[in-house]
Every structure is written in structure tokens, then in C-alpha cells.
């Protein structure tokens, strides 16, 4: 039983770049995430309208290696514009793209790559996890297009998305429109949305830097993506096989799709005075993201407490909060 990952646009692929080493560390070569080859092959498709970032990630090999057939790129980025990402410059699906002169839309190539991955799933396809930014043209536009196509092609499979909101001060004047449009696609088509804000990721990364808790030299997109990977791992790697529908079952109502993930290191509880629950809540209360929210609008929560391990990722606790 395997999960397929679809990383779209620069941010989506860079999130994959942070996530796969962590998955490999947790489940080296396990068939729920890796196809057994000479070098284990991530069950992931890397899609971007410009080739540079994807080619670099696909060429990296750290005990595992991406399948070259799982890479779909075009000639030029989508200029931070949802419409260009959504249409790919094709006036109709069969017309040649005015952006990169290709006859076959990028989403068709991405879907073909995905079909190969799904057909190769060990014991069946258990669900899809997508990642992309809501600010970029490829992430928001092509990400939304692929959401439609994947929902259509695999209607019964859980579809979970990890989208990233752009920094609110914003570097792209179109980003508000991109975000609004792609959020409405997410509400319509995804089963679950683990929403991240770059503002919060940056604040947390800076706080970890200041306290010496960060494994990174400075705050960067890589350190922010590292936080996303760290949050996701406890939920993607339970003792048993990864089953996204179990994650989604925490939602009390199907239409409540938006959730947030948090993780923190927990000190062992002092048993005479403190329960494990209290130790967990104290640790999470120290994270920047929880403090900025208050807890008045939490509908449901899922908590994963993990034991000590001699790895960079542990010990970690993660709490998932659903907001209306
Ligand atoms: N968290 C995070 N955010 C990123 C990363 N890369 C870019 N972003 C943010 O994502 C937004 C831009 O999206 P990109 O993913 O670069 O754009 P794209 O999807 O490739 O789309 P186009 O380049 O416009 O075709 C900005 O708000 C960036 O700050 C990343 O690796 N991690
Ligand atoms: Mg780009």
C-alpha cells in the first residue's frame, strides 16, 4: 500500500526536497514511499514550468534516486500568474502553448507520470499528497488544474494538499488573486488541506535560530521547508503503513478541510507533578505559531507523541488542529 506525492512549482518541489531525505531516514526503502530499485525510488512526481529547480532536485541522490520519468517540466515559468499556470498558454487543451510552444499540456505529462507511479504502487494506491505554493503562477494555477485532474482520475483516493501562503508583505502583486482562486479550488476538490503560512514559518525558523534549536545556519526557504517536513513526518510515518484517510478522519465534518500542523520537542514529564498531556501542551504552547492563534476556534485535534530516537528528527510531537 503506497502513497504518491505530487510536488508542483518551485516551492512544491523544494518542499519535496526537504521531505524526501526525512522520509528516507524514517522509512529507508519501505514500499509505502519508495519503489524498490537499485536505489530506492521516491513515489513522487516533480512538476514545474521551468526546469532548473526540478532538474537539480531530480539529480540529487542521497541513498535514493528520483525516477527520470517522474519529472515534468516546460520551458518558462508562469510569471506569478494563476491564469498562465492554469491554462499553460493553451487556448484550448489541443492548441499549441503560446508560452512554450508545446502541443501537450504540462498537466497531461504530469498526469502520465503520475499514472506510472500509481500503477507501480505496492499493493495499491492509498492516496495522494500534493504540495505547492499559492503565491506562484505554477503552484496556484497548475496546482489547481492538477487538483481537478487528479480528483477526476482517482476519485476514490484520499487527496491531501500541503499548500503554502506567500509572505503577507508580498513580492508579487498578483499573489492575493492567486491565493483566493487556489483556495477556492482546494475547498472544492481536496479532501484535506494542511495550510502553511510563510510568515509563520519564517518567524518560527528565526526563533529556532535565536535559541540555537535550528539545524540550519540561517533562516532560509530550506529551513522553512525543514519545519514542514518535520511536522509531516509523524503523521506520514505511523507504526503501520501510511494511510492518509486516517489523517483525514479527524475532521468532524467533511466540509471542514483546513488544518494546521505543529511540532515541538517535549521534555520527559515529571511524573509526580505533570502528565504527558500537560508536557505536550506546554511544548506546543512554546511554538510561535500556536501563540499567535489562541485556541478558541479549534474543532478537532490529532496528537502524535513519538519516543526518543537517535535521529535528527526525534523526539517530536505533533498536533493537528482543525479550524472552521
Ligand atoms: N515555504 C516555501 N515557500 C516558497 C519556496 N519557494 C518559493 N516560495 C514562496 O512561493 C511563492 C512563489 O511561488 P513559487 O513556488 O516560487 O512559484 P511557482 O509555483 O514556481 O510559479 P511561477 O514561478 O510563477 O511559475 C512566494 O511567496 C515564495 O516566497 C519554498 O521553497 N518554500
Ligand atoms: Mg517558478
Amino acid at each position: 500500500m503506497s502513497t504518491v506525492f505530487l510536488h508542483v512549482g518551485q516551492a512544491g518541489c523544494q518542499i519535496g526536497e526537504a521531505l524526501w531525505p526525512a522520509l528516507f531516514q524514517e522509512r529507508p526503502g519501505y514500499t509505502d514511499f519508495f519503489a524498490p530499485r537499485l536505489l530506492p525510488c521516491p513515489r513522487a512526481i516533480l512538476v514545474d514550468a521551468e526546469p532548473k529547480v526540478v532538474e537539480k532536485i531530480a539529480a540529487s541522490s542521497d541513498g535514493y534516486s528520483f525516477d527520470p520519468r517522474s519529472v515534468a517540466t516546460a520551458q518558462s515559468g508562469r510569471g506569478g500568474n494563476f491564469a498562465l499556470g492554469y491554462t499553460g498558454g493553451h487556448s484550448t487543451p489541443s492548441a499549441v502553448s503560446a508560452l512554450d510552444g508545446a502541443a501537450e499540456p504540462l498537466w497531461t505529462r504530469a498526469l502520465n507520470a503520475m499514472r506510472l507511479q500509481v500503477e507501480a504502487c505496492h499493493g495499491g494506491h492509498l492516496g495522494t499528497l500534493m504540495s505547492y505554493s499559492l503565491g506562484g503562477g505554477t503552484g496556484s494555477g497548475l496546482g489547481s488544474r492538477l487538483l481537478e485532474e487528479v480528483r477526476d482520475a482517482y476519485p476514490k483516493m484520499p487527496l491531501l494538499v500541503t499548500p503554502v501562503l506567500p509572505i503577507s508583505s508580498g513580492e508579487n502583486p498578483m499573489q492575493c488573486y492567486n491565493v483566493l482562486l487556489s483556495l477556492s479550488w482546494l475547498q472544492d476538490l481536496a479532501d484535506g488541506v494542511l495550510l502553511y503560512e510563510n510568515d509563520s514559518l519564517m518567524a518560527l525558523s528565526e526563533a529556532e535560530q535565536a535559541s540555537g534549536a535550528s539545524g540550519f545556519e540561517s533562516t532560509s526557504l530550506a529551513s522553512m521547508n525543514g519545519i514542514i517536513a518535520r511536522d509531516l513526518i509523524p503523521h506520514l510515518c505511523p507504526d503501520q503503513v501510511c494511510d492518509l484517510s486516517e489523517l483525514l478522519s479527524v475532521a468532524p465534518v467533511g466540509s471542514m478541510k483546513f488544518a494546521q500542523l505543529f511540532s515541538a520537542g517535549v521534555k520527559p514529564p515529571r511524573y509526580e507533578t505533570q502528565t504527558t498531556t500537560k508536557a505536550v501542551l506546554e511544548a506546543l504552547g512554546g511554538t510561535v505559531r500556536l501563540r499567535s492563534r489562541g485556541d478558541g476556534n479549534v474543532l478537532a485535534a490529532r496528537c502524535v507523541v513519538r519516543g526518543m530516537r537517535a535521529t535528527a528528527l526525534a523526539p517530536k510531537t505533533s498536533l493537528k488542529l482543525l479550524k472552521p
Side-chain angles (χ1 to χ4, degrees):
M1 298 295 197
S2 317
T3 304
V4 172
F5 292 69
L6 191 50
H7 303 291
V8 186
Q10 178 170 338
C13 291
Q14 286 174 172
I15 290 169
E17 189 181 21
L19 185 59
W20 283 100
L23 283 172
F24 188 68
Q25 192 175 10
E26 283 285 323
R27 303 269 174 117
Y30 281 35
T31 52
D32 44 356
F33 297 125
F34 294 90
R37 305 264 171 83
L38 201 56
L39 277 182
C41 178
R43 298 190 190 279
I45 299 102
L46 303 169
V47 193
D48 196 359
E50 48 199 331
K52 207 168 136 204
V53 170
V54 170
E55 280 171 3
K56 182 184 143 258
I57 297 171
S60 63
S61 167
D62 193 8
Y64 61 86
S65 157
F66 286 96
D67 186 339
R69 293 174 304 169
S70 295
V71 171
T73 57
Q75 296 300 318
S76 64
R78 302 318 191 207
N81 184 313
F82 176 96
L84 293 183
Y86 187 80
T87 62
H90 299 266
S91 53
T92 65
S94 55
V96 168
S97 165
L99 287 174
D100 21 61
E104 192 180 33
L106 183 52
W107 64 84
T108 306
R109 281 189 283 133
L111 274 177
N112 286 340
M114 179 160 176
R115 184 176 44 76
L116 288 181
Q117 286 284 4
V118 168
E119 285 172 2
C121 279
H122 182 84
H125 173 212
L126 261 195
T128 307
L129 194 144
M130 292 178 71
S131 63
Y132 51 84
S133 80
L134 303 184
T138 306
S140 65
L142 181 63
S144 300
R145 184 88 195 210
L146 280 168
L147 203 55
E148 284 174 13
E149 302 285 345
V150 172
R151 180 86 286 167
D152 199 36
Y154 308 100
K156 292 186 185 157
M157 287 300 119
L159 181 49
L160 197 65
V161 185
T162 308
V164 183
L165 289 169
I167 293 180
S168 49
S169 54
E171 65 254 53
N172 170 9
M174 297 291 288
Q175 70 181 29
C176 300
Y177 300 105
N178 296 344
V179 168
L180 267 177
L181 289 163
S182 42
L183 281 176
S184 84
W185 257 257
L186 283 166
Q187 175 62 32
D188 272 357
L189 296 165
D191 291 315
V193 184
L194 305 174
L195 188 64
Y196 275 92
E197 297 162 50
N198 268 350
D199 283 334
S200 316
L201 287 172
M202 191 180 286
L204 181 59
S205 181
E206 277 167 0
E208 289 186 354
Q209 205 75 47
S211 67
S214 172
F216 293 84
E217 278 175 13
S218 60
T219 295
S220 60
L221 290 174
S223 69
M224 290 155 67
N225 295 340
I227 294 171
I228 299 179
R230 191 179 75 190
D231 289 348
L232 279 169
I233 287 293
H235 294 286
L236 295 181
C237 301
D239 281 347
Q240 305 300 320
V241 75
C242 169
D243 183 351
L244 298 183
S245 59
E246 199 187 310
L247 239 179
L248 294 168
S249 66
V250 75
V253 186
S255 58
M256 302 289 185
K257 298 178 175 178
F258 283 74
Q260 291 190 312
L261 285 176
F262 306 98
S263 60
V266 182
K267 291 194 189 117
R270 300 179 299 280
Y271 284 111
E272 326 78 61
T273 55
Q274 197 186 28
T275 61
T276 306
T277 314
K278 206 163 166 226
V280 168
L281 289 174
E282 265 179 24
L284 287 166
T287 68
V288 174
R289 290 173 294 166
L290 258 188
R291 243 200 332 264
S292 65
R293 295 270 168 268
D295 56 358
N297 51 6
V298 175
L299 286 181
R302 180 180 197 261
C303 182
V304 178
V305 182
R306 318 184 88 205
M308 292 292 289
R309 288 222 205 140
T311 70
L313 286 164
K316 287 289 172 280
T317 294
S318 173
L319 181 66
K320 177 171 177 266
L321 305 172
L322 287 172
K323 292 154 57 64

Short mmCIF file of all heavy atoms in Angstrom, two decimals, residues 1 20 27 42 95 114-115 127 136 154 159 173 197 233 236 238 296 308 312:
data_model
loop_
_atom_site.label_atom_id
_atom_site.label_comp_id
_atom_site.label_asym_id
_atom_site.label_seq_id
_atom_site.Cartn_x
_atom_site.Cartn_y
_atom_site.Cartn_z
N MET A 1 0.85 -1.19 0.00
CA MET A 1 0.00 0.00 0.00
C MET A 1 0.88 1.24 0.00
O MET A 1 1.70 1.41 0.89
CB MET A 1 -0.88 0.02 1.26
CG MET A 1 -1.83 -1.14 1.34
SD MET A 1 -3.02 -1.03 0.01
CE MET A 1 -4.25 -2.13 0.59
N TRP A 20 11.82 14.36 1.32
CA TRP A 20 12.28 13.01 0.95
C TRP A 20 13.46 12.50 1.76
O TRP A 20 13.46 11.32 2.15
CB TRP A 20 12.47 12.89 -0.56
CG TRP A 20 11.12 12.76 -1.19
CD1 TRP A 20 10.39 13.74 -1.79
CD2 TRP A 20 10.28 11.60 -1.17
NE1 TRP A 20 9.14 13.26 -2.15
CE2 TRP A 20 9.06 11.95 -1.78
CE3 TRP A 20 10.42 10.31 -0.68
CZ2 TRP A 20 8.00 11.05 -1.94
CZ3 TRP A 20 9.37 9.40 -0.82
CH2 TRP A 20 8.18 9.77 -1.44
N ARG A 27 11.89 5.76 6.83
CA ARG A 27 11.47 4.50 6.19
C ARG A 27 12.40 4.16 5.04
O ARG A 27 11.98 4.18 3.88
CB ARG A 27 10.06 4.69 5.60
CG ARG A 27 9.00 5.11 6.58
CD ARG A 27 8.36 3.89 7.14
NE ARG A 27 7.44 4.21 8.17
CZ ARG A 27 6.14 3.97 8.13
NH1 ARG A 27 5.63 3.41 7.07
NH2 ARG A 27 5.38 4.27 9.13
N PRO A 42 11.73 7.37 -4.90
CA PRO A 42 10.57 8.01 -4.27
C PRO A 42 9.32 7.92 -5.17
O PRO A 42 9.43 8.11 -6.39
CB PRO A 42 11.00 9.47 -4.11
CG PRO A 42 12.48 9.42 -4.05
CD PRO A 42 12.89 8.29 -4.96
N ALA A 95 -4.61 23.02 -28.42
CA ALA A 95 -3.81 24.04 -29.13
C ALA A 95 -2.39 24.09 -28.58
O ALA A 95 -2.15 23.75 -27.41
CB ALA A 95 -4.48 25.41 -28.95
N MET A 114 2.21 10.49 -13.23
CA MET A 114 1.53 10.03 -12.02
C MET A 114 0.92 8.64 -12.24
O MET A 114 0.95 7.78 -11.36
CB MET A 114 0.45 11.03 -11.63
CG MET A 114 -0.29 10.57 -10.40
SD MET A 114 -1.14 11.87 -9.58
CE MET A 114 -1.96 10.90 -8.30
N ARG A 115 0.36 8.43 -13.43
CA ARG A 115 -0.24 7.12 -13.72
C ARG A 115 0.80 6.02 -13.60
O ARG A 115 0.54 4.96 -13.02
CB ARG A 115 -0.86 7.13 -15.13
CG ARG A 115 -1.60 5.86 -15.49
CD ARG A 115 -2.26 5.97 -16.84
NE ARG A 115 -1.41 6.56 -17.87
CZ ARG A 115 -0.40 5.93 -18.48
NH1 ARG A 115 -0.14 4.68 -18.19
NH2 ARG A 115 0.33 6.54 -19.40
N GLY A 127 -3.42 6.84 -1.60
CA GLY A 127 -3.76 8.25 -1.54
C GLY A 127 -2.67 9.10 -2.16
O GLY A 127 -1.60 8.61 -2.52
N GLY A 136 2.73 31.52 -6.27
CA GLY A 136 3.34 31.41 -7.60
C GLY A 136 2.33 31.05 -8.68
O GLY A 136 1.25 30.53 -8.38
N TYR A 154 -8.64 9.83 -10.03
CA TYR A 154 -8.61 8.91 -8.86
C TYR A 154 -9.67 9.37 -7.85
O TYR A 154 -9.33 9.80 -6.74
CB TYR A 154 -7.21 8.91 -8.22
CG TYR A 154 -6.11 8.64 -9.24
CD1 TYR A 154 -5.36 9.68 -9.78
CD2 TYR A 154 -5.87 7.34 -9.70
CE1 TYR A 154 -4.39 9.44 -10.74
CE2 TYR A 154 -4.91 7.10 -10.67
CZ TYR A 154 -4.18 8.15 -11.17
OH TYR A 154 -3.22 7.91 -12.13
N LEU A 159 -7.10 12.67 -1.10
CA LEU A 159 -6.26 13.69 -1.74
C LEU A 159 -5.97 14.79 -0.71
O LEU A 159 -6.87 15.56 -0.33
CB LEU A 159 -7.01 14.24 -2.95
CG LEU A 159 -6.33 15.31 -3.81
CD1 LEU A 159 -4.92 14.95 -4.18
CD2 LEU A 159 -7.15 15.56 -5.07
N PRO A 173 2.52 41.26 -7.00
CA PRO A 173 1.25 41.99 -6.89
C PRO A 173 0.02 41.13 -7.17
O PRO A 173 -1.09 41.46 -6.78
CB PRO A 173 1.39 43.11 -7.94
CG PRO A 173 2.53 42.73 -8.81
CD PRO A 173 3.42 41.81 -8.03
N GLU A 197 1.70 29.02 6.42
CA GLU A 197 1.90 30.43 6.09
C GLU A 197 3.39 30.71 6.13
O GLU A 197 4.04 30.40 7.13
CB GLU A 197 1.23 31.31 7.15
CG GLU A 197 -0.25 31.15 7.24
CD GLU A 197 -0.77 31.70 8.58
OE1 GLU A 197 -0.40 32.83 8.93
OE2 GLU A 197 -1.52 30.99 9.24
N ILE A 233 6.25 14.41 9.08
CA ILE A 233 6.78 13.06 9.29
C ILE A 233 5.99 12.23 10.32
O ILE A 233 5.62 11.09 10.04
CB ILE A 233 8.29 13.12 9.65
CG1 ILE A 233 9.09 13.49 8.40
CG2 ILE A 233 8.80 11.81 10.24
CD1 ILE A 233 9.10 12.45 7.30
N LEU A 236 2.86 11.04 8.66
CA LEU A 236 3.04 10.18 7.48
C LEU A 236 3.68 8.84 7.85
O LEU A 236 3.60 7.89 7.08
CB LEU A 236 3.92 10.88 6.44
CG LEU A 236 3.35 12.15 5.80
CD1 LEU A 236 4.33 12.71 4.78
CD2 LEU A 236 2.01 11.86 5.14
N PRO A 238 3.35 6.53 10.72
CA PRO A 238 2.92 5.83 11.93
C PRO A 238 3.61 4.46 11.99
O PRO A 238 4.34 4.11 11.06
CB PRO A 238 1.41 5.69 11.73
CG PRO A 238 1.24 5.67 10.25
CD PRO A 238 2.35 6.49 9.67
N GLY A 296 -9.44 29.33 20.55
CA GLY A 296 -10.90 29.41 20.61
C GLY A 296 -11.61 28.72 19.46
O GLY A 296 -12.77 28.35 19.58
N MET A 308 11.97 8.70 22.07
CA MET A 308 13.33 9.13 21.77
C MET A 308 13.92 8.26 20.67
O MET A 308 13.73 7.06 20.66
CB MET A 308 14.21 8.98 23.01
CG MET A 308 13.86 9.92 24.12
SD MET A 308 14.23 11.61 23.71
CE MET A 308 16.01 11.59 23.77
N ALA A 312 18.06 13.04 13.89
CA ALA A 312 17.88 14.49 13.96
C ALA A 312 16.41 14.86 14.12
O ALA A 312 16.10 15.94 14.61
CB ALA A 312 18.45 15.11 12.70
#
